[in-house]
Amino acid sequence: MAIEKTLTLLEGEIALVTGATRGIGKSIADEFAQAGATVIGTATTKEGAESISNRLSNLNLNGHGIVLDVANSEQISKEVGNLKETDLMPSILVNNAGISLDNLLMRIKKDEWEKVIATNLSSAFYLSKAVIGSMLKNRHGRIINIGSVQGSTGAPGHSHYSAAKAGLIGLTKSLAQEVGSRNITVNTISPGYVSTDMTKQIDDKMNQALLETIPLKRFGKPIDIAKTALYLASSLGSYITGETINVNGGMNML
């Protein structure tokens, strides 16, 4: 079913959104496309990439899906090269793809640690490096990293995940200082607990305990994060850079 574009905030922009098959990434991709951007969404499988293409096409929006392992720097170089050849170099990058492998530190295996860091942190470095040259040349760009409240608070059983998300904040601040003079902003959005496939794995008792820590007394929705990303990606957020925007219902008032 086609929908009418109601916004033109991102008209003429090209947005690369990682992890765009579901949850927060899906919501961001759709929101950006509805705002006029051409969206390239990444997935880990061919079926996932096709689902992104089909979804955008069915909504009468511009964009398509591609297969990309965001932890693989060689694949990133290849796919960004393909985008350059087809005049689709991103003016907006959203580093959203991530994984969580719950375990106490004493039980985390080396390969688990490396996988979480590679997917949640190193990928943002690889992708930012791959697209920043074009942004610098055009003197325009937006990089949005999707962090987590756990990057600020930590959490038992999530030392690798929390470390990666904390690392995103440092990466954001450093890169923002390097490229700000070229009209490129770099920010982190730090969601609290958002209703996604990842958080649905938490049992009901834990969910209720978490709910008690949130002043707004509800879990976030992917659209809450997508609306914040849209603000930062558009001209509305053009004077915000190097910041961590907490979108968590008030659960972590810093």
Side-chain angles (χ1 to χ4, degrees):
M1 178 179 177
I3 63 173
E4 182 180 356
K5 294 181 185 177
T6 57
L7 298 171
T8 56
L9 285 173
L10 301 183
E11 201 73 47
E13 303 284 357
I14 300 171
L16 176 60
V17 181
T18 65
T21 57
R22 59 185 180 179
I24 291 172
K26 175 179 180 291
S27 190
I28 291 174
D30 292 356
E31 193 72 14
F32 280 16
Q34 290 176 45
T38 297
V39 173
I40 298 99
T42 79
T44 57
T45 66
K46 181 181 178 181
E47 293 74 19
E50 289 175 348
S51 74
I52 296 170
S53 297
N54 292 336
R55 187 177 78 240
L56 293 174
S57 177
N58 290 339
L59 294 172
N60 196 31
L61 299 173
N62 294 326
H64 64 274
I66 62 173
V67 179
L68 180 66
D69 177 0
V70 298
N72 187 317
S73 61
E74 293 181 358
Q75 279 192 33
I76 288 172
S77 296
K78 178 182 177 181
E79 290 302 328
V80 172
N82 291 338
L83 294 177
K84 184 176 182 179
E85 289 180 3
T86 54
D87 294 323
L88 286 174
M89 279 298 287
S91 54
I92 301 168
L93 168 64
V94 181
N95 290 307
N96 165 75
I99 59 171
S100 178
L101 303 175
D102 301 1
N103 216 341
L104 297 175
L105 186 142
M106 64 182 295
R107 295 175 180 168
I108 294 174
K109 297 178 181 177
K110 182 175 180 288
D111 65 324
E112 292 175 331
W113 171 271
E114 291 176 346
K115 185 175 182 179
V116 170
I117 296 299
T119 304
N120 294 358
L121 177 58
S122 297
S123 63
F125 162 71
Y126 296 143
L127 281 157
S128 297
K129 187 172 183 179
V131 305
I132 199 68
S134 176
M135 292 181 179
L136 288 167
K137 181 179 179 181
N138 294 325
R139 292 181 173 269
H140 171 71
R142 302 282 186 267
I143 296 177
I144 301 169
N145 298 316
I146 305 301
S148 168
V149 64
Q150 292 181 10
S152 300
T153 65
H158 291 83
S159 59
H160 40 7
Y161 181 83
S162 298
K165 295 301 186 180
L168 278 179
I169 295 175
L171 174 63
T172 293
K173 291 180 179 295
S174 297
L175 183 55
Q177 294 178 57
E178 292 179 10
V179 300
S181 64
R182 296 298 183 95
N183 192 36
I184 301 167
T185 65
V186 189
N187 291 288
T188 294
I189 298 175
S190 183
Y193 286 90
V194 178
S195 296
T196 64
D197 290 345
M198 188 182 294
T199 56
K200 285 177 183 176
Q201 299 172 18
I202 303 173
D203 62 51
D204 291 341
K205 184 177 180 180
M206 179 63 74
N207 272 328
Q208 188 57 42
L210 289 170
L211 201 59
E212 293 301 317
T213 69
I214 303 174
L216 290 185
K217 299 305 176 187
R218 72 171 177 87
F219 292 120
K221 301 175 183 178
I223 191 63
D224 295 322
I225 312 306
K227 292 290 188 182
T228 306
L230 176 61
Y231 182 87
L232 292 174
S234 73
S235 60
L236 298 175
S238 63
Y239 201 55
I240 301 173
T241 195
E243 294 295 332
T244 299
I245 311 298
N246 293 288
V247 186
N248 56 36
M251 71 175 295
N252 181 37
M253 298 185 185
L254 298 177

